[in-house]
Amino acid sequence: MSIMIKDLAMAFKQKTNASKEKIQKNLKVTVPLLALLSAFPPLTTDMILPALPSLAKSWNVSLSLINLNLVFFFVTYGLFLLFYGPISDRYGRRRPLLVGLAVYIVTSLLGAFVSGAPMLIGTRILQAAGAAAGSSISMAMTKDIFVGPERERILAYIAVIMGLAPMLAPIIGGWILLYLSWHWIFLMEAFMGIIAMFGVLRFPETLPEESEAPLSQVMNTYGRLLLNPSYMIMVLVMSVSFFPLFSFIAGSSAIYINEFGLSEQKYSYFFAFNALAIMSGAFSCLRLTRRVNSKHLMTIAFAGVFLGGIFLLFMGQHGPWSFALPMFMVSFSLGLSRPPSNNLVLEQVDRDIGSASSLLIFTYFTFGAVSMWFISLEWADKIPVLGTTAVGCGALVFAAWFIIQKRGVRGIA
């Protein structure tokens, strides 16, 4: 019996290795699918952003209450990331991914029928539970398939394609509001979930070998990761760097629509301009890594977040473009830093890849939920708050990055 089990395991591993080689050769399919799975958070949150101020008025509630749909989405999303990572290490990548996508599709359809802020928040919580499968498992799949510099290059490609999600999502939402109603936003999200599910159904399993440990023991991998100082330090530093971006996402509709008096459609274009900054940063990373060491790119990027925050403080209140341009600098810098920083985090672990990917993204979005809650408070003017956030986080991360390089971390050449 034991020989038969070993033979089956060997056959599974050989089949998986053959599938990996096929996947590596067919990047035109692999990269867009991984990017789509990774893009569920910006697609789901950004498409509804143009509708939030009008929903607050029509339901006669405060914008800060409506914004709780974003906060609870990211909190739930982060918690379920911790669930999907170990599950994908135990049972493979495809099965939990398909379950998560099914939950996302059903709850997106339900979202089209909500009639108040509490129902909206509840639907978003369920939607997040399904969407969480995409990001954590897609990053683990990237680690399964690619190694070293090639993985960093693929992460950069994915980041470039992912940049289209926050760029197009609010524009799509704005045009839906112009010609239809906000209910169709949820129907569009369900359609995107169906596309992703068809892609996963045609995609082979990428996990080289399923774990035979009990699920309770697999969940203990988080204990090992928390006791891995190089991994945890890198995770925390990279998560803090994105604090200003999540603040912008939650506060942008109030700034552009309420403070600057723009329409939902014009707001969506300015939001897309900021998303273009992230994509441009990722594309620049893709081109520059051939000539410039990744650690130097990260140093430049963290300095850019700090400088962008300074410009926000001194220029941001003078009009839409005076706010958009410094924010472009912050977002471009974050886009530049994300591919090498994600790769550097994954370099700190040799096993428990699904759990490591989940914990990384969980920390990103936990910090994101806190920043969204913070910017959604009843501030008289959100722009100085956002500028101060960018300056503080940029300075903190810039200093921490120098200390990390001095002490030495695996993967820093």
Side-chain angles (χ1 to χ4, degrees), residues 115-345:
S115 58
M119 291 180 67
L120 174 66
I121 294 169
T123 300
R124 299 289 272 181
I125 290 172
L126 295 174
Q127 210 179 16
S135 291
S136 64
I137 297 178
S138 64
M139 185 171 287
M141 290 165 69
T142 305
K143 174 83 172 180
D144 292 340
I145 302 167
F146 306 102
V147 295
E150 185 185 22
R151 182 172 64 244
E152 185 174 318
R153 182 172 61 89
I154 295 300
L155 286 170
Y157 276 125
I158 292 172
V160 170
I161 299 173
M162 269 188 65
L164 291 171
M167 186 165 65
L168 295 178
I171 294 178
I172 295 170
W175 283 102
I176 287 175
L177 292 174
L178 186 62
Y179 292 107
L180 297 167
S181 69
W182 63 266
H183 306 82
W184 285 88
I185 292 174
F186 283 98
L187 296 177
M188 177 62 73
E189 291 171 355
F191 177 69
M192 292 184 302
I194 292 170
I195 292 174
M197 177 169 278
F198 274 113
V200 174
L201 286 171
R202 299 183 62 183
F203 208 76
E205 178 60 59
T206 63
L207 183 66
E209 188 174 353
E210 294 181 6
S211 171
E212 296 181 0
L215 185 58
S216 58
Q217 185 176 335
V218 175
M219 295 297 285
N220 291 336
T221 57
Y222 288 120
R224 290 197 294 269
L225 291 170
L226 291 171
L227 295 175
N228 182 340
S230 60
Y231 168 80
M232 286 307 304
I233 289 170
M234 291 302 306
V235 166
L236 291 173
V237 169
M238 303 315 163
S239 299
V240 169
S241 70
F242 274 82
F243 204 95
L245 181 62
F246 284 104
S247 294
F248 169 80
I249 291 171
S252 59
S253 59
I255 291 171
Y256 281 115
I257 296 175
N258 295 343
E259 291 191 32
F260 292 137
L262 301 184
S263 67
E264 287 89 348
Q265 285 71 45
K266 288 184 178 179
Y267 156 69
S268 70
Y269 299 143
F270 273 98
F271 192 93
F273 178 70
N274 190 78
L276 176 63
I278 301 173
M279 188 170 67
S280 300
F283 183 76
S284 298
C285 174
L286 183 62
R287 300 300 297 269
L288 291 172
T289 46
R290 301 170 184 173
R291 305 173 187 173
V292 183
N293 191 294
S294 295
K295 71 176 182 180
H296 298 317
L297 287 180
M298 293 171 67
T299 302
I300 293 168
F302 296 146
V305 174
F306 175 77
L307 290 175
I310 294 290
F311 290 133
L312 271 175
L313 282 174
F314 287 97
M315 297 169 49
Q317 295 169 293
H318 297 157
W321 281 109
S322 67
F323 173 74
L325 291 174
M327 196 62 220
F328 187 98
M329 183 176 184
V330 172
S331 299
F332 177 90
S333 301
L334 292 172
L336 183 67
S337 72
R338 186 160 189 178
S341 65
N342 280 351
N343 185 55
L344 192 57
V345 172

